[in-house]
Amino acid sequence: MPSSWDDPTAARAEIERLTTELAANAARVAELEPAAAELHQLQEAGKTEAQRLTERAEAAERLAEQARGELIRTQVANAKGLTERQAARLIGTTREELEADADAFLSDLTPAADPGPGRPLMQPDPTQGSSGQRAADPAQMFAGILHNTLHH
């Protein structure tokens, strides 16, 4: 079967038909390009808006979690009788962790009645920082300095 490209007249007619079709398609593309660009801008704007809303939601969740943590910390501190400064030192993310830390903190503040083996109860050394002699009465010391100053 002969091809349309074998006959010069048929080939020229096919080329003219394809050229006309190409020109029509080019004109249609030119008509659609502004609409395609506008659609692209709307899609990008929508994506940006969605991203912005997602970021705001994530920030709100973080703030809510921080507020929840502070509320629990304050409740535990109040229940344990801690001051605000002491409460700020508590470590933990759950109520149980904060309560355990508060109990440990309070046990460190309260001296044990019986320190137990290996941990002797510390007693102050009365001779520490002195020559071992009993310090004179401050009033007597002042009177001696005053006397020495006036008589010299």
Side-chain angles (χ1 to χ4, degrees):
M1 179 184 268
S3 167
S4 63
W5 298 108
D6 293 338
D7 178 18
T9 306
R12 188 176 314 264
E14 184 65 16
I15 290 171
E16 286 176 10
R17 184 189 69 75
L18 289 173
T19 302
T20 303
E21 186 179 322
L22 180 61
N25 286 340
R28 182 73 178 140
V29 166
E31 287 175 16
L32 294 176
E33 278 181 340
E38 185 177 341
L39 176 62
H40 180 72
Q41 285 176 341
L42 289 173
Q43 287 173 334
E44 288 301 312
K47 194 184 303 180
T48 301
E49 180 68 15
Q51 288 170 344
R52 189 176 65 78
L53 291 174
T54 299
E55 288 171 2
R56 286 182 65 191
E58 289 171 352
E61 288 172 3
R62 280 191 303 275
L63 285 174
E65 187 62 28
Q66 288 174 346
R68 183 184 146 290
E70 288 301 316
L71 174 64
I72 293 171
R73 182 181 315 280
T74 301
Q75 290 172 340
V76 168
N78 286 338
K80 301 291 182 176
L82 298 176
T83 67
E84 189 175 326
R85 286 183 63 171
Q86 292 168 334
R89 294 182 175 141
L90 295 180
I91 298 172
T93 55
T94 66
R95 180 177 299 278
E96 293 76 20
E97 290 172 350
L98 290 166
E99 286 174 344
D101 191 43
D103 290 339
F105 179 70
L106 288 171
S107 71
D108 288 343
L109 291 179
T110 307
D114 179 19
R119 190 168 174 210
L121 185 59
M122 300 298 288
Q123 296 293 329
D125 181 1
T127 62
Q128 189 174 14
S130 70
S131 63
Q133 299 175 355
R134 189 167 178 204
D137 178 30
Q140 290 176 348
M141 289 175 59
F142 179 72
I145 293 171
L146 188 61
H147 177 66
N148 288 340
T149 305
L150 292 175
H151 288 73
H152 284 359

